[in-house]
Amino acid sequence: MSGTKRTGAWIAVASAEHVRRGRAGGFMQVCHGKATPLRRIQAGDRVVYYSPTDRFGTADGLKSFTAIGTVLPGQPYRFDMGGGFIPFRRDVSWWPAAEAPIQPLLHRLELTAGVRNWGYPFRFGLLPVSLRDFDLIAEAMRAAVRDMMAA
């Protein structure tokens, strides 16, 4: 991603069931709990989750944006989820929002417009996105934007 202009806006990828856990706990995890991708994110950055599926390991075709929020201050930290799984997390203030399918946005997003294999970049688990695209997604999700950095 060298040469990519930093926008402070990100798309993270996880199943909706995993995103729901993060929303309930006020955190995000990406790339099976790896720390390196989370270190690319800074406090105050905005993140939206894309969920290709509702349940991890299924092909149920959800293909929706499922959570949106602001990354809070602090570094990635480890959390013991049991069974020897100790992933890294970042704290996030999630905004009130509704899930929104990606399909109606595909032709409008800079990331996907005119791209035949539009899902390919999502395979990386975390990708920067333009502020324009982020705002379009937030609008589709009817997100109530909150500036939690002041809180």
Side-chain angles (χ1 to χ4, degrees), residues 15-17 20 51-64:
S15 69
E17 71 176 329
R20 284 190 288 273
S51 298
T53 62
D54 185 56
R55 298 187 59 81
F56 180 72
T58 66
D60 57 38
L62 179 65
K63 297 180 182 161
S64 292

Side-chain angles (χ1 to χ4, degrees), residues 55-122:
R55 298 187 59 81
F56 180 72
T58 66
D60 57 38
L62 179 65
K63 297 180 182 161
S64 292
F65 294 103
T66 52
I68 189 168
T70 305
V71 178
L72 295 172
Q75 295 300 312
Y77 59 90
R78 298 197 83 154
F79 183 85
D80 189 344
M81 293 186 68
F85 184 48
I86 308 172
F88 283 89
R89 294 179 171 180
R90 288 288 305 253
D91 290 334
V92 176
S93 173
W94 298 110
W95 306 344
E99 293 185 8
I102 194 171
Q103 198 66 36
L105 298 174
L106 289 176
H107 70 285
R108 297 177 59 203
L109 297 173
E110 294 170 11
L111 180 66
T112 58
V115 179
R116 185 171 181 207
N117 295 324
W118 61 265
Y120 183 76
F122 294 94

